[in-house]
């Protein structure tokens, strides 16, 4: 395989008989100021393994790209063909050029370019391979605007280093959303000024009784900034009115009986609820949404709304309506899991996140469709194929087998977003997201093993053309994935591989700790 790029590009021509692009000690990266941050990111990838200096120079200063140079070229005239995120990549003996209408497109061109080099490029110490990239012409742009991964930092807490590592991993596959599930029964993980017990008490533990943890405002800002530099929008989720035991342990007045709950370290769901009528609850939500909105430069705030089995059913729709209005009042677009479609009075533009099955059950399709009937759009996370906490097969030592699992890599790949909800049109689908729930996930090695390669499969569904004529295809994906394993190894990503034991030898993280 000459260009095993994941996700498969919209247009790819490999000129196998032509001479390749070759990086050398005299290679430079040409970029104007507007492209300088992507150039710096590219240099950061290339320098450690090549050992080359790779100076960044500007064409504005009269520098002309030579045969061993990489040129990053911004050209607004390309926006019609390439959109905000598309790119064109040319590699040949005459040089390497990435052209895009904006920096995000250049960034995705960089992700494709790195995959044209030998996997050892990804090592962080000097390697001796010849640094050749096959001669190719790629013209590429994504199918969906929303290409997400979700990390549950509530059931187990993951610190800033683990989260930024995760960001570096997901951008390899051109994902652009990191949904952080910040609160649940087992932990509250974000600091809210004026509400010290949320982190004082609410963050004090985790599933299994571990020490828990939380992000200070500075920590959270570091995650958001790190993601933004990589064109990833962080979407914070404050899950209400259920999944709230951690908050209920911190503030008695938001409980129906005004008694604080004990911290919870088990893995049951559906037993907790805010008192949705109490003034104290709305004061609490106002404080929380105001602060989370202020800490979040991105446009979205996710309010959960799933599995609120202990909220009186007749009170749930009204709660959701009011909560979406409160989020909008704080300047953000609300997102909620599909159960929130029970409200017929969502604030305009509210986005739904579908987590039912490929074959919807329990009216999940109707609840999801309610969002588009009210003028909103949908993110698709079908649990029986896109949930990353599910075991791969009967022998997988971590993960859970709920939600239609086990879920093989092939199952994670072979589904079509436009065929799940019959009354939803393609343009009403914002995109696709794969969540990792972390009841059984306690380390970076655990994350890697459950997330990869299934997230690569879901990323291809989000980015690439649908199956058919020139689109994606399982056999072709399986071949490219096979070629990817040495790259996972070089990157230090401990991906699952069928037939290999856990912890994967690829991980380099065998002690089960971060
Ligand atoms: C969910 O899995 N409860 C969204």
């Amino acid at each position: 395989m000459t260009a095993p790029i994941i996700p498969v590009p919209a247009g790819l021509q490999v000129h196998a008989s032509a001479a390749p692009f070759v990086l050398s000690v005299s290679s430079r990266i040409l970029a104007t100021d507007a492209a300088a941050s992507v150039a710096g990111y590219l240099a950061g990838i290339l320098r450690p393994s090549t050992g080359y200096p790779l100076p960044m120079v500007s064409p504005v200063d009269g520098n002309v790209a030579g045969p061993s140079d990489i040129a990053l070229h911004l050209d607004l005239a390309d926006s019609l063909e390439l959109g905000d995120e598309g790119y064109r990549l040319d590699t040949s003996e005459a040089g390497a050029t990435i052209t895009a209408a904006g920096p995000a497109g250049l960034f995705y061109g960089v992700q494709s370019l790195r995959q044209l080099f030998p996997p050892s490029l990804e090592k962080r110490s000097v390697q001796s391979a010849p640094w050749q990239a096959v001669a190719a012409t790629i013209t590429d742009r994504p199918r969906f605007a929303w290409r997400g991964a979700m990390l549950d930092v509530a059931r187990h807490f993951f610190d800033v280093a683990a989260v930024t590592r995760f960001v570096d991993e997901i951008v390899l596959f051109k994902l652009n959303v990191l949904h952080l599930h910040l609160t649940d029964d087992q932990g509250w993980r974000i600091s809210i000024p004026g509400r010290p017990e949320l982190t004082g008490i609410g963050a004090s533990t985790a599933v299994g009784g571990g020490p828990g943890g939380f992000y200070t405002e500075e920590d959270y800002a570091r995650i958001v900034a790190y993601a933004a530099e990589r064109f990833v929008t962080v979407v914070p989720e404050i899950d209400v009115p259920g999944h709230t035991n951690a908050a209920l342990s911190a503030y008695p007045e938001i409980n129906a009986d005004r008694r604080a709950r004990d911290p919870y370290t088990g893995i049951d769901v559906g037993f907790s609820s805010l008192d949705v009528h109490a003034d104290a609850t709305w004061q609490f939500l106002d404080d929380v949404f105001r602060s989370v909105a202020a800490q979040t430069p991105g446009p979205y705030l996710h309010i959960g709304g799933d599995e609120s089995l202990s909220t009186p059913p007749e009170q749930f729709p009204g709660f959701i309506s009011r909560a979406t209005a409160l989020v909008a009042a704080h300047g953000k677009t609300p997102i909620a899991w599909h159960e929130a479609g029970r409200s017929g009075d969502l604030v305009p533009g509210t986005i739904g996140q579908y987590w039912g099955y490929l074959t919807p059950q329990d009216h999940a399709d109707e609840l999801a469709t309610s969002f588009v009937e009210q003028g909103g759009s949908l993110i698709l996370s079908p649990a029986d194929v896109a949930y990353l906490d599910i075991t791969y097969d009967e022998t997988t030592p971590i993960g859970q087998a709920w939600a239609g699992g086990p879920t093989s890599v092939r199952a994670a790949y072979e589904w079509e977003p436009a065929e799940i909800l019959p009354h939803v049109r393609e343009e009403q689908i914002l995109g696709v997201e794969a969540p990792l729930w972390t009841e059984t996930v306690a380390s970076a090695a655990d994350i890697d093993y459950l997330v990869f390669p299934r997230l690569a499969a879901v990323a291809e569904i989000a980015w690439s053309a649908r199956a058919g004529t020139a689109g994606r295809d399982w056999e072709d994906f399986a071949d490219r994935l096979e070629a990817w394993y040495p790259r996972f190894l070089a990157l230090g990503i401990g991906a699952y591989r069928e037939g290999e034991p856990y912890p994967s030898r690829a991980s380099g993280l065998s002690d089960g700790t971060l």
Side-chain angles (χ1 to χ4, degrees):
M1 177 133 323
T2 44
I5 296 171
I6 300 176
V8 65
L12 164 65
Q13 289 171 282
V14 173
H15 313 297
S17 56
F21 170 67
V22 187
L23 214 52
S24 78
V25 69
S26 58
S27 292
R28 303 170 303 168
I29 300 174
L30 277 82
T32 55
D33 285 352
S37 79
V38 178
Y41 173 87
L42 173 61
I45 291 166
L46 299 176
R47 283 176 184 150
S49 55
T50 62
Y52 299 156
L54 287 152
M56 299 190 287
V57 299
S58 175
V60 176
D61 301 329
N63 295 294
V64 176
S68 65
D69 293 338
I70 301 171
L72 304 185
H73 190 59
L74 279 174
D75 187 350
L76 269 180
D78 283 307
S79 61
L80 265 186
E81 187 194 352
L82 301 172
D84 293 342
E85 297 189 305
Y87 65 92
R88 195 160 48 236
L89 169 61
D90 290 289
T91 49
S92 77
E93 61 183 336
T97 308
I98 303 172
T99 308
L106 293 179
F107 184 77
Y108 298 127
V110 163
Q111 300 307 334
S112 290
L113 176 62
R114 67 196 285 193
Q115 296 180 50
L116 294 179
F117 287 105
S120 54
L121 183 85
E122 303 294 352
K123 297 205 170 158
R124 300 290 84 187
S125 59
V126 177
Q127 310 291 309
S128 63
W131 301 112
Q132 299 185 351
V134 70
T137 307
I138 299 175
T139 307
D140 197 13
R141 60 184 294 174
R143 176 177 176 192
F144 290 114
W146 186 289
R147 305 180 302 279
M150 192 208 81
L151 186 61
D152 168 8
V153 297
R155 270 51 176 269
H156 280 97
F157 179 65
F158 296 93
D159 66 10
V160 175
V163 176
T164 54
R165 177 179 194 272
F166 189 65
V167 169
D168 278 326
E169 294 180 346
I170 70 174
V171 298
L172 287 161
F173 302 102
K174 304 187 175 78
L175 297 190
N176 64 357
V177 173
L178 174 64
H179 168 180
L180 288 177
H181 183 76
L182 289 167
T183 68
D184 213 302
D185 292 317
Q186 300 85 348
W188 184 282
R189 307 303 181 198
I190 185 168
S191 173
I192 305 293
R195 293 283 179 173
E197 298 306 350
L198 284 176
T199 45
I201 297 171
S204 62
T205 192
V207 166
F214 65 95
Y215 308 121
T216 64
E217 287 178 271
E218 294 73 30
D219 288 341
Y220 192 71
R222 276 166 58 209
I223 291 171
V224 167
Y226 193 90
E229 285 165 12
R230 288 153 184 77
F231 303 92
V232 170
T233 299
V234 173
V235 176
E237 180 184 351
I238 305 297
D239 199 350
V240 290
H243 289 279
T244 41
N245 191 80
L248 299 171
S249 74
Y251 288 98
E253 65 270 24
I254 60 177
N255 288 272
D257 62 5
R258 309 292 182 258
R259 291 167 195 264
R261 297 291 177 265
D262 290 332
Y264 182 68
T265 61
I267 62 166
D268 287 345
V269 299
F271 60 88
S272 57
S273 179
L274 302 174
D275 178 354
V276 302
H277 282 332
D279 288 343
T281 295
W282 291 99
Q283 187 56 54
F284 170 81
L285 290 171
D286 192 49
D287 289 350
V288 170
F289 290 169
R290 185 189 324 105
S291 171
V292 173
Q295 295 183 58
T296 299
Y300 308 108
L301 201 163
H302 199 309
I303 61 163
D306 58 319
E307 298 177 308
S308 300
L309 308 178
S310 298
T311 307
E314 68 283 5
Q315 295 179 5
F316 179 76
F319 172 86
I320 291 294
S321 306
R322 191 169 167 187
T324 63
L326 186 57
V327 168
H330 289 300
K332 299 297 174 187
T333 299
I335 306 177
W337 298 104
H338 69 243
E339 290 99 313
R342 287 190 210 285
S343 162
D345 188 23
L346 299 167
V347 95
T350 299
I351 296 166
Q353 184 164 10
Y354 176 77
W355 67 280
Y357 288 1
L358 288 182
T359 303
Q361 300 173 354
D362 302 330
H363 307 287
D365 50 341
E366 290 161 33
L367 294 172
T369 305
S370 161
F371 287 85
V372 304
E373 286 167 353
Q374 296 182 61
S377 52
L378 284 170
I379 301 156
L380 301 181
S381 302
D384 49 349
V385 286
Y387 269 27
L388 300 169
D389 59 315
I390 308 301
T391 49
Y392 289 94
D393 63 31
E394 293 68 27
T395 69
T396 313
I398 53 169
Q400 304 196 82
W402 73 295
T407 298
S408 66
V409 179
R410 183 167 186 163
Y413 185 82
E414 283 195 311
W415 59 278
E416 168 44 48
E419 286 173 3
I420 303 170
L421 302 168
H423 302 297
V424 173
R425 298 192 306 274
E426 167 116 8
E427 62 270 23
Q428 294 168 322
I429 301 173
L430 199 50
V432 169
E433 183 178 302
L436 180 69
W437 304 103
T438 59
E439 286 91 340
T440 69
V441 177
S443 68
D446 291 349
I447 292 176
D448 282 2
Y449 189 75
L450 288 173
V451 169
F452 296 106
R454 287 183 294 199
L455 187 64
V458 177
E460 184 150 308
I461 292 169
W463 178 281
S464 304
R466 60 183 291 175
T469 42
R472 52 194 179 79
D473 169 76
W474 163 253
E475 298 298 339
D476 183 64
F477 178 78
D479 284 349
R480 283 178 284 120
L481 182 58
E482 190 60 28
W484 244 89
Y485 274 99
R487 199 169 296 275
F488 281 127
L489 190 66
L491 285 157
I493 297 175
Y496 158 88
R497 189 171 198 176
E498 197 174 342
E500 282 188 10
Y502 175 82
S504 160
R505 274 168 286 139
S507 74
L509 291 164
S510 57
D511 63 354
T513 58
L514 286 173

